Amino acid sequence: MAYNAPLVVVIGVLPIMLAVGNGVGTPMAFLAAGLIVAAFAVPFTRMAGVFPNPGAFYVYITAGLGRAIGLGSGFLALVGYLSVNIGSYAFGGVVFQSMVRDTFHGPDVDWWLWGALLWAAATLLGYLKIDLSAKVLTVFLFLELAVIVVYDGSVMFKQGASGLSAAPFSPSHWFDGSFAVGLLYGLGMYGGFEVAALFRDEVRHPARTVPRATFALIAVAMVLYGGTAWLYISSLGVDKAVSIAGADPSGSILGSIETFGGHVLFDLATVMVTTSTFAVILAAHNISARYIFNLSADGILPRRLSGVHAKHGSPHMASLATSGIGLAVLAVTVLSGSDVVTFFTVSLGLASFTGVTAISLANLAIALYLRKHHKDEFSIWSTVLMPVLAGIGLAVELVLTIQNFPHLVNTSTGVATLLLAALIAVFAAGVVMALVYRRTRPEVYSKIGRQ
């Protein structure tokens, strides 16, 4: 849930969805996306129960679709998580700069210095035992959820701008504007449910914890985002909401928070956006480190990266490698003078494509594996019906992602095509590497996907 960054979604994404997505029907985009993810979560959690190996999508895709596609998917997923991690350093540096300069009237320091501070904090916590990161994330998550709940309660209590309207849930508004773009953003806001399975080796009772955490995330996100979107629209007025959000996305939501929650809540929201972004950074750092650890343990990456700290029990070498990659990319971004907003947007666009591709492949792989090896243990509901429903939704999402990729990365069609080609090349590199290892290093090939 911390990786999901609720407050960043509310302040940074909701207004954009309202302006360029399906407008007043935005709450339904969240609900539709949640139902697609929930359908996938049924077979996903069944797989987590019968396939105890760590590695989540990387492992499950390998088990169902073979080692070549599994390794390609593992590379693709790692690029996606690293993109979120590194892109969030840039976004975090900007919001940290704004908080210190504008809210606390402190010194005006370059964003990259604050980004470096966030990097140092994530590096330290990522090196230590996961319990410490979990506690830090829990505190930040509780505080940002509290801000959202107080805002929602205030809008509801004051009945919005002119009464609470049911119009956002009316079928006549579901397809306002671009439902495709709204669904794209909506599905992207459920990222992170893979994490529970990825950390199964560091959980006391994974067979019980993984399903609970997965469905809890989906349920909370559906209610929180769908409900907040409805109340945000009501706070602006149904007839004016789209135009106001389009004219000033962040200003419209922050203005609504101050109008209905007061200046104190406004200041808290401004501060908590920074901590929420750090929560994304820390969560994405730990996830990326686990992917590097798993690929190293399989012999794909240098074996040294699969080292486990004797005291902290953390994949400390993989964590340091993750930090090194982040620092290198951040340094190139700063030294090249790249626009920080563009860099962040591109990072999220890359993560969107890798995420929907990995989930689509995992959905197919899990269904095939369960039907082949565990068809007597689970009903057709879990192994056929839910995967088919999820597959239809995910296929639509993948097509929409490709069609709207220039919009997602906010670049020209030419640059977007090059970025998309680079991601496909990453996947292809994994496939080719696996096929080469099958002939030249069968002992490594046999271990791909933590098999």
Side-chain angles (χ1 to χ4, degrees):
M1 193 70 195
Y3 175 81
N4 207 249
L7 196 58
V8 173
V9 171
V10 169
I11 293 179
V13 179
L14 268 187
I16 296 174
M17 288 181 67
L18 188 61
V20 304
N22 57 321
V24 174
T26 293
M28 295 308 300
F30 279 119
L31 297 181
L35 291 175
I36 294 173
V37 174
F40 167 71
V42 173
F44 174 73
T45 53
R46 301 296 189 273
M47 187 72 166
V50 301
F51 206 91
N53 298 15
F57 288 170
Y58 167 51
V59 170
Y60 301 162
I61 294 172
T62 302
L65 298 178
R67 290 174 173 81
I69 295 179
L71 186 56
S73 301
F75 281 0
L76 199 62
L78 175 58
V79 169
Y81 284 121
L82 284 172
S83 295
V84 173
N85 177 229
I86 299 169
S88 295
Y89 284 130
F91 181 75
V94 171
V95 296
F96 208 136
Q97 178 192 48
S98 176
M99 178 187 70
V100 172
R101 180 189 60 205
D102 302 331
T103 302
F104 296 110
H105 307 293
D108 186 6
V109 179
D110 287 340
W111 70 266
W112 60 266
L113 289 172
W114 296 120
L117 179 63
L118 296 172
W119 172 88
T123 298
L124 175 62
L125 290 172
Y127 186 89
L128 301 175
K129 191 175 181 180
I130 192 63
D131 286 15
L132 181 57
S133 291
K135 291 173 182 176
V136 171
L137 292 175
T138 299
V139 172
F140 287 165
L141 177 63
F142 174 80
L143 291 174
E144 61 181 296
L145 288 176
V147 169
I148 296 171
V149 170
V150 170
Y151 166 69
D152 288 351
S154 299
V155 175
M156 187 173 293
F157 178 75
K158 296 179 181 179
Q159 295 289 294
S162 55
L164 300 178
S165 172
F169 300 105
S170 171
S172 62
H173 287 290
W174 291 359
F175 300 100
D176 285 0
S178 174
F179 181 76
V181 174
L183 185 63
L184 277 175
Y185 278 108
L187 276 167
M189 299 310 105
Y190 287 88
F193 62 87
E194 178 198 12
V195 177
L198 193 64
F199 285 87
R200 63 170 296 118
D201 275 4
E202 298 166 85
V203 176
R204 289 192 185 94
H205 306 291
R208 182 172 68 234
T209 301
V210 171
R212 287 181 178 178
T214 302
F215 284 108
L217 166 65
I218 296 169
V220 170
M222 284 181 70
V223 173
L224 188 71
Y225 298 151
T228 303
W230 167 54
L231 292 167
Y232 166 55
I233 291 169
S234 296
S235 75
L236 302 179
V238 173
D239 296 335
K240 303 177 181 178
V242 175
S243 60
I244 294 175
D248 186 6
S250 60
S252 66
I253 183 66
L254 288 173
S256 177
I257 290 173
E258 185 168 23
T259 298
F260 289 90
H263 192 69
V264 172
L265 188 67
F266 170 84
D267 286 341
L268 284 173
T270 304
V271 173
M272 293 311 301
V273 166
T274 305
T275 59
S276 179
T277 304
F278 178 68
V280 177
I281 290 171
L282 183 57
H285 174 97
N286 283 324
I287 296 167
S288 300
R290 269 68 184 175
Y291 258 93
I292 291 175
F293 171 85
N294 286 317
L295 289 166
S296 173
D298 288 349
I300 305 302
L301 297 179
R303 290 280 188 184
R304 188 179 180 187
L305 296 178
S306 62
V308 177
H309 197 282
K311 178 180 179 182
H312 304 302
S314 62
H316 63 301
M317 297 305 296
S319 179
L320 290 175
T322 302
S323 294
I325 295 170
L327 183 61
V329 176
L330 197 61
V332 170
T333 302
V334 174
L335 294 175
S336 66
S338 300
D339 179 69
V340 63
V341 175
T342 300
F343 175 71
F344 175 64
T345 304
V346 168
S347 299
L348 290 189
L350 296 178
S352 296
F353 176 79
T354 58
V356 71
T357 302
I359 295 173
S360 299
L361 290 172
N363 183 65
L364 176 60
I366 291 170
L368 292 175
Y369 181 87
L370 293 179
R371 289 299 296 171
K372 182 178 180 180
H373 299 283
H374 298 277
K375 64 180 180 180
D376 295 331
E377 297 176 41
F378 302 113
S379 66
I380 293 179
W381 169 270
S382 300
T383 60
V384 178
L385 182 58
M386 288 296 102
V388 167
L389 291 176
I392 294 172
L394 291 169
V396 172
E397 167 72 358
L398 184 57
V399 171
L400 292 175
T401 300
I402 295 172
Q403 290 179 340
N404 292 275
F405 195 68
H407 171 77
L408 288 176
V409 295
N410 196 28
T411 62
S412 66
T413 301
V415 173
T417 301
L418 289 175
L419 290 172
L420 198 57
L423 292 176
I424 295 172
V426 168
F427 178 81
V431 172
V432 171
M433 183 179 289
L435 295 176
V436 170
Y437 281 167
R438 186 172 64 182
R439 296 183 59 186
T440 61
R441 300 180 64 186
E443 73 283 0
V444 174
Y445 177 78
S446 65
K447 294 180 180 179
I448 291 175
R450 308 309 307 274
Q451 303 300 302

